[in-house]
Amino acid sequence: MSESKIEATDRLRRESRWPEASRFKDASVKRLRAEGKTKAEANDSAWDEMLAAFPPLPAVSKPQASGPLDITKADPELLDRLADVPLDWIRDVRWVYQVFAHPSVELADAPSLGAWGLLGFARQERSKFFGIVSATLASKAKPDTDEEQIDSDPGLAELERMIAASRG
């Protein structure tokens, strides 16, 4: 067995194949027990059979720069202008939420260079982004203009941490 049982279980769950693999393993245990193997032998053999029948899925390569969010060929003046925009997490998060699924959003539409980067993160880490958005925006009891509330939002600190982690 090249991966532990917990590693295999976690992998199969990530691949959304755990229910099918688990049923396969249970059927193997039942068959092996009927063939006279001990419970421990049947369980170990069933895991081996399951791992052979459900190997890791081939890795899907992520596209390199040249996708719709690629800025390598962007106008340097536009990049400089967007990079100089003052930090406003709430504005950027809301903008990304608003344009997340829009197929023709362009760099010039972004309120800041950070918002453009956040859009790339959101599209790659969809569930993480929407979890942060719901926590961040749901915690806003006062209007957006209350800077003290914005600065003290723990959801924004988590968003900053996740973005930093995704960069390297």
Side-chain angles (χ1 to χ4, degrees), residues 52-74:
F54 294 88
L57 295 174
V60 177
S61 63
K62 293 186 178 180
Q64 299 300 316
S66 74
L69 298 178
D70 179 24
I71 61 172
T72 57
K73 297 178 183 173

Side-chain angles (χ1 to χ4, degrees), residues 37-53:
K37 290 202 175 199
T38 67
K39 187 174 183 178
E41 291 171 333
N43 194 40
D44 287 342
S45 294
W47 270 96
D48 290 340
E49 289 177 12
M50 181 190 71
L51 292 176

Side-chain angles (χ1 to χ4, degrees), residues 69 82 87-107 109-134 136-137 156 159 163 167:
L69 298 178
L82 290 173
L87 175 67
D88 184 339
W89 278 107
I90 299 299
R91 175 204 61 216
D92 291 353
V93 168
R94 286 189 171 171
W95 179 79
V96 171
Y97 180 81
Q98 183 178 8
V99 302
F100 177 81
H102 197 290
S104 61
V105 66
E106 296 179 4
L107 178 60
D109 301 326
S112 70
L113 196 55
W116 189 254
L118 184 59
L119 178 59
F121 169 79
R123 287 180 174 175
Q124 289 179 344
E125 301 289 344
R126 172 180 284 204
S127 61
K128 288 180 185 178
F129 176 73
F130 281 109
I132 291 168
V133 167
S134 64
T136 299
L137 299 180
L156 291 178
L159 180 60
I163 291 170
R167 290 187 180 144

